[in-house]
Amino acid sequence: MMAYLAMMAPRLKELHRVLRSTGSLYLHCDPTASHYLKILMDAVFGPQCFQNEIIWKRTSAHSSAKRYGPVHDVILFYAKSSEFVWTGLRLDYDEEYLGRYYKFDDGDGRLHWRNSLTAAGTRKGSSGAVWRGFDPTSKGSHWKFTIENLEALDKENRIYWPPNGGWPYIKRYRDELKGVAVSDLWDDINKINPSATERLGYPTQKPEALLERIIKASSNEGDTILDPFCGCGTAIEVAEQLKRRWIGIDITHLALAIVKHRLASAFDFGIFKNIEVIREPVTQSEAEELARDDKFGFQCWAVGRLGAPPIEHRRGADRGIDGRIYFHDDAGAAKQIVISVKGGEYVTPAFVRELRGVIERERAAMGILVCLKEPTSEMRREATNAGTYSSLGGIFARLQIITVADIFADKPLNIPGRISPYERKKPGSVKPMATQLRLLP
């Protein structure tokens, strides 16, 4: 825990420094760390900037043998100053609640609830005066409105007079409801279930609804959202959908590759015209440096540059597969192209033979070998000997070799038309921001 807090302290201080006076910070954590982090946040922001400890009930059941089942996480909400943006976000009322109370109709088609005009406790002055023969003091209460306002409400036909001569009620119309103010207990946003269309398989992925609520509550269109631990990019995608500018930061090229593929799937590849990616290799020497310093990061970068997500997320044994591309065959069945990345200084025909074995083992239609260096003539002969894959779309080399130089030259892949592994619905009404910000690894 101390190492985690030591890591977070300077980052929170920097986030406070770059945050505008109208900005807010939301910190998600679990209950084992929330009390430590609140002390840290109080030290950085000041106790007066604390707004809420939000309890997010992320699951409905979690059994535990010797304690209460842990079903919630904590989100600490701090503002930079008293000028922070707050949109007063509201939620729709529950249909059962609306049906129970807003059921009266005077014939004009407007459903309303007949609510009491009085409140407990006597008052002096107008709110305690007799009106139309009704004395609120006699029953230990007072009017919720002044006599002048009661008359105005009656002229607007907003007061219901019971036929039996009982106490009048105010009509509260359903079509005028502003919604329920969001509380600090969020029990209506569940964690992502295994079959959800937004699920990417990233271990710390948050529901889009969670980020949507936070972003809507504390920002306006055109404002900038910063996620310093952007992971698989949920905050980034939601910010783009809500027409906010954004900055995403993550330490791994795995996250960068997933975010780029996610944005392309949710919108289209044209979105990258407005995005600046910082510290991603743009030259051969930078790619070689990445391959030397971070083999796994190089694999993720290379697969991402091919427009594919790095499917094998675990470090270590990958069984010769660093990514996959999917397409439909002529019968409409899903087929796969396996990708193997080799970032070493030396290349050998054994790489081609290994990938050919992976293609056979996985029953894949095709395979792509990505090499840091130029392949030998023997490697190309081995690739040619792997044969071809034929479809109505053409005849394709079954095993293809792509170099990093080909990637930088934007050499297109000679493969059948691919399908997105996420099958995400593109929000047709959403267009990329005219000027976007940065995605930093």
Side-chain angles (χ1 to χ4, degrees):
M1 181 61 69
M2 292 305 298
Y4 171 68
L5 295 174
M7 181 275 291
M8 288 296 295
R11 287 162 175 78
L12 290 172
K13 189 172 180 61
E14 281 300 296
L15 290 171
H16 178 268
R17 182 183 66 82
V18 301
L19 192 62
R20 288 183 177 179
S21 60
T22 56
S24 302
L25 187 145
Y26 289 79
L27 177 59
H28 170 252
C29 56
D30 65 37
T32 63
S34 60
H35 45 298
Y36 297 110
L37 287 168
K38 187 177 186 305
I39 294 174
L40 190 56
M41 293 282 282
D42 281 346
V44 173
F45 280 76
Q48 74 281 1
C49 291
F50 170 74
Q51 303 301 321
N52 286 104
E53 179 186 58
I54 300 166
I55 301 301
W56 171 35
K57 184 183 177 185
R58 56 182 175 78
T59 184
S60 57
H62 195 292
S63 60
S64 186
K66 293 186 177 181
R67 61 171 182 163
Y68 301 111
V71 297
H72 82 274
D73 280 353
V74 174
I75 301 174
L76 298 175
F77 169 29
Y78 280 75
K80 180 70 174 283
S81 73
S82 60
E83 302 172 358
F84 69 97
V85 172
W86 181 250
T87 63
L89 187 66
R90 291 178 177 269
L91 305 177
D92 292 335
Y93 283 94
D94 181 80
E95 284 297 325
E96 181 181 353
Y97 165 81
L98 293 174
R100 182 186 305 149
Y101 293 102
Y102 290 83
K103 58 186 178 181
F104 300 104
D105 186 350
D106 288 343
D108 57 3
R110 299 182 69 194
L111 295 175
H112 64 270
W113 174 25
R114 295 167 183 171
N115 194 15
S116 175
L117 276 169
T118 61
T122 60
R123 297 286 190 275
K124 294 181 179 180
S126 181
S127 63
V130 177
W131 180 63
R132 303 283 184 95
F134 293 94
D135 182 7
T137 305
S138 65
K139 62 173 187 175
S141 60
H142 64 279
W143 300 113
K144 293 179 180 178
F145 307 91
T146 64
I147 298 299
E148 181 181 358
N149 286 337
L150 287 171
E151 291 290 349
L153 289 169
D154 192 39
K155 287 181 180 180
E156 295 173 2
N157 194 31
R158 289 180 175 271
I159 292 181
Y160 171 74
W161 298 92
N164 61 4
W167 282 76
Y169 294 88
I170 186 171
K171 300 177 186 177
R172 299 196 181 277
Y173 289 97
R174 176 170 174 168
D175 58 15
E176 294 178 347
L177 292 174
K178 296 181 179 179
V180 183
V182 181
S183 73
D184 60 4
L185 174 59
W186 296 0
D187 59 358
D188 58 332
I189 300 176
N190 295 322
K191 68 177 182 180
I192 303 172
N193 66 63
S195 60
T197 57
E198 66 179 275
R199 185 179 181 87
L200 305 180
Y202 200 81
T204 58
Q205 183 180 358
K206 307 295 186 299
E208 292 177 9
L210 182 70
L211 276 301
E212 180 179 344
R213 177 171 297 177
I214 290 171
I215 292 173
K216 280 185 174 180
S218 293
S219 69
N220 297 306
E221 288 189 9
D223 287 347
T224 301
I225 308 301
L226 167 62
D227 186 350
F229 302 92
C230 68
C232 64
T234 302
I236 289 174
E237 180 181 343
V238 173
E240 183 71 31
Q241 290 174 351
L242 297 177
K243 299 181 180 179
R244 271 67 165 175
R245 294 155 63 87
W246 50 262
I247 302 171
I249 305 172
D250 204 279
I251 196 172
T252 71
H253 284 274
L254 167 63
L256 178 60
I258 292 175
V259 171
K260 290 174 68 176
H261 198 86
R262 178 176 189 165
L263 290 174
S265 299
F267 304 97
D268 55 53
F269 283 97
I271 190 175
F272 295 110
K273 296 178 181 178
N274 303 314
I275 295 175
E276 179 184 4
V277 182
I278 299 175
R279 296 183 65 185
E280 183 183 44
V282 294
T283 65
Q284 180 75 27
S285 60
E286 290 176 351
E288 292 174 359
E289 181 181 359
L290 176 61
R292 183 174 60 252
D293 297 341
D294 183 0
K295 177 183 176 182
F296 183 70
F298 175 77
Q299 292 172 357
C300 294
W301 168 79
V303 170
R305 283 298 303 261
L306 296 184
I311 301 299
E312 308 299 328
H313 290 168
R314 296 174 299 172
R315 294 179 183 266
D318 55 20
R319 305 189 70 206
I321 304 173
D322 298 310
R324 291 185 174 94
I325 295 173
Y326 297 90
F327 67 94
H328 286 138
D329 65 11
D330 296 340
K335 296 292 183 180
Q336 65 170 322
I337 303 171
V338 293
I339 303 171
S340 177
V341 180
K342 300 298 182 182
E345 289 289 329
Y346 302 100
V347 291
T348 169
F351 294 162
V352 181
R353 291 191 287 269
E354 289 172 6
L355 179 55
R356 191 171 178 178
V358 172
I359 294 172
E360 298 296 336
R361 186 192 71 217
E362 298 292 320
R363 298 182 179 179
M366 299 170 60
I368 297 174
L369 176 64
V370 181
C371 295
L372 180 65
K373 298 295 185 178
E374 190 69 22
T376 65
S377 57
E378 181 63 25
M379 290 175 67
R380 294 199 180 279
R381 280 194 294 270
E382 287 278 357
T384 301
N385 291 337
T388 60
Y389 175 83
S390 299
S391 72
L392 294 176
I395 299 175
F396 308 92
R398 192 177 183 214
L399 198 157
Q400 301 178 22
I401 302 176
I402 301 294
T403 66
V404 168
D406 293 331
I407 291 176
F408 285 129
D410 292 323
K411 180 180 178 180
L413 296 176
N414 185 26
I415 60 175
R418 70 179 73 198
I419 58 175
S420 168
Y422 302 146
E423 293 291 346
R424 299 174 61 83
K425 182 179 179 182
K426 295 184 180 181
S429 61
V430 178
K431 295 183 179 179
M433 296 288 293
T435 303
Q436 196 48 269
L437 294 180
R438 300 177 174 183
L439 186 64
L440 299 91

